[in-house]
Amino acid sequence: MLTVTGGSSPVVEGSVLMARERTEVMQFLSRHKHSKKYILVHCTHGHNRTGFMIINFLMRSQPMHVAEAVNVFAQKRPPGIYKQDYIEALYTFYHESPENLICPPTPEWKRPSDLDLNGEAMPDEDDDGNTDAHAPLHEHVENTLITNDDVLGDPIPYDQQDAMRHICYQLFDLTPTGRGNAQFPGSHPVSLNRENLQLLRQRYYYATWKADGTRYMMLITTHGCYLIDRNFTFRRIQMRFPMKNINEGFHNLTLLDGEMVIDKIPSGLKRRYLIYDLVALSSRSVVKLPFSERWKLLEEEVIRPRNHERKQFESEGKCNPIYRYDMEPFAVRQKGFWLLSTVNKLLKDFIPNLCHEADGLIFQGWDDPYVPRTHEGLLKWKYPQMNSVDFLFEVGSENRQLLFFNERGKKKLMDGAQIVFGGDEDISSLSGKIIECCWDADADSWVCMRVRVDKSTPNDINTYRKVMRSIKDNITEEVLLAEIAEIVRLPMYADRIAVAEAQRLHQHRRR
């Protein structure tokens, strides 16, 4: 029996509780599918809050629109939801626009104390008579104060999170051992140094810009999308990803990799999720495919169908579209990758004109599989002044400032480290937090750049050593461009650049 009580926003209850209760309901139905056992959902009268919860369940369990779900409940429990703010909240949460929304009148049996002078239900009372401000949880409001540190999405129960972690490991073709299934499995690049710079000569690479955003993977399911942060924590968001064949419905168990950035546009600030890789497509792992094929699948199976549907909705129903893409929490775009021969333009022209911050380049092997965790062949080059390490900072006895990195799962003190903080920040308030630091050779000290609220552990000692090697080697922009100028003249690159150009011209003619 699910009891829906008063005292908090029904929208908050619907979004936070439904994750746990949907799981419990599905497990119950699975266990008792051959017996006549039922689930009772109730509030005081079994209409508004009850309807809100049941419609949320229907929306997350079956492919239907809000209007259909509202009508199904109304037929089973006449007159259905009779408070307009509940129904409006459902449309808002699922990014749909109501069509000819007419709520049924307040039932005659509703006790007089629940009626105002005009005989209508008081808008600030719930079924239990408790006053309540029914503010939509995901009301679409332009917010000019958004930052990379904002926490996005709704939390989910721990048991559901554990189940999703297991699903992700299956999609990665990984076998968890011990506490291994609690580790973020996403691929991590390594810092560019004089030694691994030679990989650009030995393998075929493409380049893209390194956005200074927040790393997220995204798991798409039929009952919602989930952002996965570096702590391997899942939070639910309401978004829509149709299949290439619209008759097949929506993606289920498609796993993306990307980063969240904040674009500065004329109207203000806007979040955008840049997708740069594909791990699984409709429950099928694609980690063993070369990057070139994964990137093409991402465009054809995920990005293009979504963009096509959005344009269709905008053209067919500008005043009242079926689904409001503009109400989603952020925009989505596929990140671009280019030939090494374009790196000069990437640095000189493209990055300076970006709407968000960038701190370097990423070099992606065009023929590489997806490698979980540290990928020695995935290279990152950062502007020398932005080469950084993430440390655990603590204030010890006698106000000693201490920096730690990870060594074999335990924190390791960096003896004699000096740290410089800018501004008037209370340094003691940073104790116990992860701080990103760059190295100032002239001052022989680390400089705190920012607090990493998206991370709960410092860099491993091996990462620290690679960054220090990169800092020591000091591959400047001039050194990098000179090296790439030689590489693109190699026969291997010259031939493949010619093929790529021919393919580009062929696709342009087809369009």
Side-chain angles (χ1 to χ4, degrees), residues 34 70 107 113 125 152 162 201-202 262 285 292 408 449 454 457 470:
H34 299 301
V70 169
S113 60
E125 291 183 345
L152 305 178
D162 288 341
R201 292 176 176 266
Q202 300 164 11
I262 297 178
S285 176
S292 57
R408 298 178 181 178
M449 301 169 65
D454 60 322
T457 57
S470 178

Side-chain angles (χ1 to χ4, degrees), residues 382-397:
K382 298 179 75 170
Y383 296 106
Q385 70 275 18
M386 303 187 78
N387 236 332
S388 61
V389 178
D390 297 326
F391 293 108
L392 169 62
F393 174 72
E394 292 184 0
V395 177
S397 59

Side-chain angles (χ1 to χ4, degrees), residues 219-236:
L219 179 64
I220 306 170
T221 73
T222 52
H223 53 82
C225 297
Y226 299 85
L227 287 179
I228 311 169
D229 64 20
R230 289 176 180 268
N231 297 320
F232 211 15
T233 299
F234 293 67
R235 296 182 70 91
R236 188 185 185 280

Side-chain angles (χ1 to χ4, degrees), residues 147-401:
T147 72
N148 282 325
D149 296 337
D150 295 337
V151 178
L152 305 178
D154 302 320
I156 66 173
Y158 289 114
D159 55 347
Q160 185 184 5
Q161 180 163 271
D162 288 341
M164 289 192 164
R165 285 176 173 175
H166 184 70
I167 289 172
C168 282
Y169 266 68
Q170 290 180 321
L171 297 177
F172 271 97
D173 283 342
L174 290 173
T175 302
T177 56
R179 296 181 64 246
N181 62 343
Q183 298 178 8
F184 182 73
S187 187
H188 294 293
V190 298
S191 297
L192 195 65
N193 56 50
R194 299 277 177 174
E195 183 178 348
N196 59 25
L197 180 61
Q198 301 308 308
L199 289 176
L200 297 180
R201 292 176 176 266
Q202 300 164 11
R203 290 150 63 176
Y204 190 60
Y205 276 87
Y206 267 50
T208 188
W209 76 99
K210 185 179 180 302
D212 189 15
T214 305
R215 171 76 177 276
Y216 287 107
M217 301 190 79
M218 183 191 289
L219 179 64
I220 306 170
T221 73
T222 52
H223 53 82
C225 297
Y226 299 85
L227 287 179
I228 311 169
D229 64 20
R230 289 176 180 268
N231 297 320
F232 211 15
T233 299
F234 293 67
R235 296 182 70 91
R236 188 185 185 280
I237 52 173
Q238 183 62 35
M239 300 193 76
R240 183 180 176 106
F241 287 87
M243 296 286 286
K244 185 177 181 179
N245 181 353
I246 191 61
N247 295 324
E248 296 179 4
F250 301 93
H251 280 269
N252 185 37
L253 298 185
T254 290
L255 184 57
L256 313 174
D257 202 354
E259 55 202 346
M260 194 75 66
V261 299
I262 297 178
D263 282 340
K264 297 178 182 179
I265 57 178
S267 59
L269 301 178
K270 182 176 183 179
R271 285 194 181 94
R272 190 185 305 276
Y273 184 57
L274 302 177
I275 309 173
Y276 51 66
D277 214 332
L278 178 68
V279 176
L281 183 64
S282 298
S283 76
R284 178 173 67 94
S285 176
V286 296
V287 294
K288 295 180 180 178
L289 294 178
F291 175 76
S292 57
E293 293 186 29
R294 300 197 307 272
W295 197 74
K296 187 176 181 180
L297 281 172
L298 173 61
E299 178 185 15
E300 294 179 349
E301 302 289 340
V302 180
I303 300 297
R304 195 176 295 169
R306 176 180 160 89
N307 289 343
H308 175 75
E309 184 185 70
R310 176 169 186 162
K311 291 179 180 177
Q312 187 177 32
F313 284 176
E314 289 174 350
S315 62
E316 293 179 357
K318 289 185 177 179
C319 298
N320 198 22
I322 299 174
Y323 179 81
R324 293 281 303 276
Y325 272 99
D326 62 306
M327 293 181 70
E328 292 184 336
F330 48 80
V332 173
R333 178 176 293 177
Q334 183 177 16
K335 199 174 184 184
F337 287 80
W338 297 276
L339 295 163
L340 286 189
S341 56
T342 66
V343 167
N344 186 64
K345 290 184 178 180
L346 196 56
L347 286 171
K348 305 293 186 184
D349 301 328
F350 184 84
I351 290 179
N353 290 302
L354 280 172
C355 296
H356 55 265
E357 300 294 327
D359 56 7
L361 299 171
I362 294 289
F363 296 99
Q364 168 73 57
W366 202 237
D367 304 316
D368 284 0
Y370 189 103
V371 178
R373 304 197 179 99
T374 301
H375 181 6
E376 298 291 345
L378 182 62
L379 308 176
K380 64 178 178 181
W381 174 86
K382 298 179 75 170
Y383 296 106
Q385 70 275 18
M386 303 187 78
N387 236 332
S388 61
V389 178
D390 297 326
F391 293 108
L392 169 62
F393 174 72
E394 292 184 0
V395 177
S397 59
E398 299 180 355
N399 289 324
R400 288 181 59 210
Q401 297 177 6

